[in-house]
Amino acid sequence: MGDARRRTRRTAGPGGRRRTGEVLGSRPAYSVRLPPTARTEPVLVAERTVPWLRVAAAYAWRLILVGIVVYGIFIIIGSFQLIAVALFLALIITSVLRPLTDLLNRVLPRPLCVAVALVGSILVLLTLLALVGNAVAGESGRLAGEFRGGVHRIEQWLQRPPFRLSPGRLSELQSQVTHYISTHRASLLSSAVSGLSRAVEVVTGGALALFASVFFIHSGERLWGWMRDELLPSGARPAWDRAGRAAWRAFAGYTRGIIIVAATNAVLVGISLLVLRVPLALPLTLLEFFAAFVPLVGSPVALGVATIVALAGRGPLTAVAVLALIVVIGQLEGHVLHPLVMSWAVRLHPLVVAVSVIAGSIVAGVIGAVVAVPLVSVVWSVLRALRAVPPPGPTHP
């Protein structure tokens, strides 16, 4: 009886009244607390998905936005293709002639150094073109006879196994080519006229590239400093400055490296063509030099042209020797020259280089194939520079 009174006293509320719904010997209802996670609240749909799917979706829409921005930039650049190509050529000229200008600046004023470097490089280029023109003009008569004989040898070769083309079939092919040229004479003439307008654009772009390279070589640091300080907020300047300098180092290193690789390929090809006595050895050597600026693709194409010339001028054996030269030069370029010479620039995997060249050629033709690899190198260098954490500066009390 006494225990029942004490139990009633403990469970009674203020004024001795018992709480409603309480049973003697049970735990008070107000002492039961549910954890926050057990509350019955509506669960969001995003919280019911798996974590990797949420992360993938978050990255997906951001990547879509970045792709739209990049596509818009390429559309704008395509609208001003002549200016973009001219500025790209100006950057190439600057990366090549800037070290020579800095060297001459030790003894000469800066403007005079820029003039000497530009005028000297133009004279060297014109000298090479003059040598090529003289070689073609001096051998034009002999080459015409050699090519006629070469075409006759090719016809005889096609008549033998495994082709076994009859002389009538070859004559029919020649008549079809002649008929096509006579039928499409108007379209060929319009193509030639459009080619002349294209030549005017090339001259205009070259003049703009030289004009821009003068300022880039003379005061490129001041131009970059002005753009950084005037167009960017103060908080973003260190990161942009680090990214810009990394991009220029990658671009300049790649340009100088590809010039060394192209010159080495051209020397090897020129010596080989002279030894094999292939006609037009000097023009083909110059073609090899400029074609090597398209990695993995340009050099085989140039040597393919040399193979056709060797087949027509010297016969099948010399053409087979030039084909073997294609294989040797390709292996030397891919396994020795690129890893050795391009060590200071951004090292890209050959698969990345091949995909970049093909994608660039699809987007913008030959210009895209030339620009693709340095563009990928610059982007990768910028990403690495922004990802690296700069060392903390000295602290002042």
Side-chain angles (χ1 to χ4, degrees):
M1 190 68 182
D3 294 339
R5 288 197 199 95
R6 285 194 298 270
R7 195 177 299 118
T8 304
R9 194 180 300 116
R10 282 197 303 265
T11 58
R17 291 176 296 182
R18 186 185 302 273
R19 297 178 189 271
T20 306
E22 290 183 350
V23 181
L24 291 177
S26 65
R27 192 175 179 181
Y30 59 82
S31 63
V32 179
R33 296 181 180 275
L34 295 175
T37 56
R39 295 175 184 173
T40 58
E41 294 180 357
V43 181
L44 298 177
V45 177
E47 295 181 358
R48 292 201 299 264
T49 59
V50 291
W52 65 266
L53 186 58
R54 292 202 303 269
V55 174
Y59 275 107
W61 71 263
R62 288 176 173 85
L63 289 175
I64 290 173
L65 290 179
V66 172
I68 293 174
V69 172
V70 172
Y71 180 75
I73 292 174
F74 274 101
I75 291 296
I76 295 173
I77 293 176
S79 302
F80 300 95
Q81 184 178 5
L82 181 61
I83 299 176
V85 172
L87 293 179
F88 179 77
L89 290 177
L91 291 175
I92 292 178
I93 296 171
T94 304
S95 63
V96 174
L97 298 182
R98 181 67 181 268
L100 178 61
T101 305
D102 294 338
L103 182 62
L104 294 175
N105 196 25
R106 298 178 180 179
V107 294
L108 296 175
R110 188 74 178 181
L112 185 59
C113 297
V114 175
V116 169
L118 284 175
V119 173
S121 60
I122 292 173
L123 290 177
V124 169
L125 182 59
L126 291 178
T127 302
L128 288 175
L129 294 178
L131 290 175
V132 170
N134 289 333
V136 174
E139 299 181 3
S140 59
R142 183 173 62 86
L143 287 175
E146 287 184 355
F147 275 108
R148 282 194 295 268
V151 171
H152 181 66
R153 285 194 297 270
I154 292 173
E155 291 178 353
Q156 292 180 345
W157 179 52
L158 292 175
Q159 292 175 8
R160 293 194 295 266
F163 299 100
R164 298 184 182 276
L165 292 179
S166 62
R169 180 58 179 168
L170 294 175
S171 301
E172 183 181 354
L173 290 176
Q174 292 178 357
S175 62
Q176 288 178 358
V177 171
T178 305
H179 178 71
Y180 178 83
I181 294 175
S182 60
T183 305
H184 298 80
R185 186 177 301 171
S187 61
L188 294 175
L189 183 60
S190 64
S191 300
V193 172
S194 63
L196 290 177
S197 62
R198 199 69 174 176
V200 173
E201 292 182 359
V202 169
V203 173
T204 305
L208 179 59
L210 287 177
F211 182 73
S213 62
V214 170
F215 295 98
F216 291 164
I217 297 173
H218 182 268
S219 55
E221 290 285 342
R222 288 204 295 265
L223 286 174
W224 170 249
W226 178 84
M227 292 178 59
R228 179 194 60 207
D229 297 337
E230 297 294 332
L231 302 180
L232 298 174
S234 58
R237 290 171 190 170
W240 278 89
D241 185 71
R242 190 167 66 251
R245 295 183 184 278
W248 174 248
R249 284 194 300 269
F251 182 82
Y254 179 85
T255 304
R256 295 163 191 165
I258 200 66
I259 288 176
I260 295 175
V261 172
T264 306
N265 284 353
V267 170
L268 294 176
V269 169
I271 294 174
S272 303
L273 294 180
L274 288 174
V275 170
L276 295 173
R277 293 186 298 171
V278 177
L280 299 176
L282 184 60
L284 291 174
T285 302
L286 192 62
L287 176 64
E288 167 65 23
F289 174 77
F290 287 110
F293 283 89
V294 183
L296 303 178
V297 178
S299 183
V301 170
L303 290 177
V305 176
T307 303
I308 296 174
V309 174
L311 180 62
R314 299 293 298 171
L317 294 179
T318 306
V320 171
V322 176
L323 283 176
L325 182 65
I326 294 176
V327 178
V328 172
I329 293 296
Q331 295 296 319
L332 183 65
E333 179 183 355
H335 295 88
V336 178
L337 293 178
H338 270 284
L340 182 63
V341 177
M342 307 288 286
S343 58
W344 65 83
V346 177
R347 296 282 298 274
L348 296 177
H349 194 275
L351 179 61
V352 177
V353 174
V355 172
S356 302
V357 171
I358 295 174
S361 62
I362 292 174
V363 173
V366 178
I367 297 176
V370 174
V371 175
V373 178
L375 179 62
V376 173
S377 301
V378 167
V379 171
W380 178 242
S381 298
V382 169
L383 291 177
R384 288 200 309 173
L386 293 178
R387 188 173 54 192
V389 180
T395 57
H396 299 283

